[in-house]
Amino acid sequence: MRMKVKAAVVNAVNGPYEFEELELQELQANEVIVKLVASGICHSDEALRVGDAEFPLPAVLGHEGAGIVEQVGAGVRDFQVGDQVVMAYNSCGTCPSCRTGHPSSCVSWTTLNMSGARADGSPIFKKLDGTPVSNFFTQSSFSTYTITNVNNLIKVDDDADLRLVGPLGCGFLTGAGTVVNGLQVKVGDSIVIFGTGAVGLGALMMAKVEGCATIIAVDIHDSRLDISKKLGATHTINSKTENLAERIADITNGVGVNFSIDTTGVSAVMKAAIDVLGIGGVTAPIAVTPNSMEMNSFMDLVLLNRSVKGILMGDAIPQLAIPKLIQLHKEGKFAFDQLVKFYDFEQINEASADSNSGVTIKPILLIDKTYRQNEPLPQ
């Protein structure tokens, strides 16, 4: 008998999350069933919900899930029932990119994570009337249970609190990985981070860990900039009330910065992230956005040996990076717990709205409230 689950379904572009009973399909050899404990909400979920990125609907979104292995497929060897896991993105594991340590550049990445189905085209979820429901990232964490691929999974220690660590699977991984793997900053470098949401602050915290001497946070909300200071920004700029170019010139003695990251996806801001670069500088526009930017390739890039670099998922290997981020958190060097707010699963529309408005930096949905119910929520 196939398992029935409770899931938050998006049935139409810009529609709300609607709770429905769905049916999990047959488990394949390289898959596991995960009982979700909690899931972060990411702006990528919102981009799909409102149609900024094309995706087949109806769908169960969510891609920052953490839970407990409930059942394993016949071919699974490295996981067993009861394991605590965080879920990230899927990759084939065998293409040249995967083999050389760049699974986010997997030749099948789009098919595995954005097609809404398994690699063979079959669905993971169906409605009770038989209608296929798309999955996201081969994960779909906005559900009480889900089927996911072993390549999505990161085993975490039993002392890890699954109510907290799910967002390490995308937002914080992307920010931190962009700094370490994509830009490969060095001790003493300078960096400007545009947008201080989860991705931007993940980048900011990792820039501090890596020894950047100048870390400039740019936002239009003073409250976010205050948080940035606490987490390691050496300078903050409110680009709504201050002259960005003048402030950057003043901070860097007129030479510009080595690196910049844009997490906003706003056309003018992506261009500004180029303009603040010094000679040989590199910018990474990493937001999921329908917007584009205009630039003059010679004046903006060639003349000053600048570069624009696309970096997906922080070019990170989740199975290596996420345990390191958990360890950094234990050491007080990656304090992402200061950025989260917990919501009941049934409050998903409220949590999504709070994320969109900026009220909450990183919402986390509590899906299984029996997990560690006698322990206080992580602070």
Side-chain angles (χ1 to χ4, degrees):
M1 184 176 178
R2 291 174 178 169
M3 179 183 289
K4 290 183 173 61
V5 303
K6 175 183 175 182
V9 181
V10 176
N11 284 293
V13 172
N14 214 29
Y17 292 101
E18 301 176 282
F19 284 100
E20 299 184 28
E21 187 177 54
L22 303 178
E23 191 176 64
L24 284 184
Q25 301 306 290
E26 295 296 332
L27 191 65
Q28 295 185 354
N30 61 343
E31 295 176 336
V32 307
I33 295 177
V34 173
K35 180 181 183 181
L36 271 300
V37 169
S39 176
I41 294 180
C42 178
H43 283 294
S44 298
D45 298 310
E46 180 67 3
L48 269 59
R49 187 186 71 83
V50 302
D52 284 347
E54 190 173 336
F55 195 75
L57 301 177
V60 178
L61 302 178
H63 60 291
E64 292 185 339
I68 299 170
V69 174
E70 181 82 5
Q71 184 178 335
V72 300
V76 175
R77 297 290 178 266
D78 296 331
F79 296 89
Q80 60 186 6
V81 173
D83 283 345
Q84 291 205 141
V85 294
V86 171
M87 293 182 284
Y89 61 85
N90 194 4
S91 58
C92 75
T94 59
C95 73
S97 293
C98 289
R99 294 287 195 190
T100 54
H102 301 281
S104 67
S105 296
C106 173
V107 297
S108 300
W109 199 92
T110 301
T111 299
L112 294 174
N113 294 285
M114 298 294 295
S115 70
R118 294 174 167 118
D120 64 5
S122 64
I124 284 175
F125 300 98
K126 284 187 179 180
K127 296 196 178 193
L128 300 187
D129 65 2
T131 302
V133 178
S134 295
N135 77 79
F136 186 36
F137 265 49
T138 320
Q139 181 185 147
S140 291
S141 57
F142 296 162
S143 177
T144 51
Y145 294 82
T146 194
I147 290 175
T148 190
N149 191 282
V150 290
N151 289 341
N152 285 75
L153 296 176
I154 302 91
K155 191 183 299 185
V156 297
D157 292 340
D158 289 341
D159 64 352
D161 194 328
L162 295 179
R163 295 173 298 182
L164 178 65
V165 296
L168 295 177
C170 180
F172 294 120
L173 177 73
T174 295
T178 295
V179 169
V180 175
N181 307 311
L183 298 179
Q184 299 181 0
V185 305
K186 297 179 179 63
V187 173
D189 280 341
S190 56
I191 188 168
V192 178
I193 297 164
F194 291 87
T196 54
V199 176
L201 291 174
L204 187 153
M205 289 185 286
M206 189 52 67
K208 181 180 179 182
V209 169
E210 292 298 299
C212 287
T214 303
I215 305 171
I216 306 168
V218 180
D219 208 305
I220 59 173
H221 300 289
D222 286 333
S223 60
R224 295 285 184 98
L225 295 173
D226 289 341
I227 293 171
S228 300
K229 290 178 184 177
K230 294 178 182 177
L231 295 179
T234 59
H235 304 80
T236 61
I237 301 173
N238 186 321
S239 57
K240 193 174 183 178
T241 60
E242 302 176 77
N243 186 298
L244 176 68
E246 290 181 0
R247 283 294 315 280
I248 296 292
D250 180 59
I251 293 167
T252 65
N253 294 317
V255 301
V257 296
N258 302 120
F259 301 102
S260 66
I261 297 173
D262 174 65
T263 70
T264 72
V266 176
S267 298
V269 180
M270 289 189 283
K271 178 58 168 61
I274 296 175
D275 295 339
V276 300
L277 295 174
I279 295 172
V282 184
T283 186
I286 58 176
V288 178
T289 177
N291 300 323
S292 59
M293 63 174 167
E294 291 187 8
M295 64 178 180
N296 181 286
S297 59
F298 182 77
M299 296 298 295
D300 292 327
L301 300 179
V302 176
L303 189 61
L304 295 174
N305 287 300
R306 293 165 167 169
S307 302
V308 178
K309 187 171 185 180
I311 304 167
L312 181 63
M313 300 300 303
D315 193 20
I317 303 172
Q319 289 75 12
L320 300 179
I322 288 175
K324 290 181 180 178
L325 292 179
I326 291 174
Q327 183 59 37
L328 287 172
H329 175 255
K330 289 180 180 179
E331 296 170 2
K333 299 175 181 177
F334 199 80
F336 72 99
D337 56 303
Q338 297 182 26
L339 310 176
V340 309
K341 179 180 178 181
F342 295 99
Y343 297 78
D344 289 344
F345 190 21
E346 293 73 18
Q347 295 175 293
I348 186 170
N349 286 297
E350 177 187 342
S352 179
D354 285 352
S355 176
N356 296 336
S357 68
V359 169
T360 301
I361 293 176
K362 175 54 66 176
I364 297 179
L365 302 172
L366 296 174
I367 299 172
D368 178 10
K369 286 181 281 188
T370 68
Y371 176 85
R372 298 193 181 183
Q373 58 185 328
N374 296 322
E375 297 181 21
L377 289 170
Q379 299 293 325

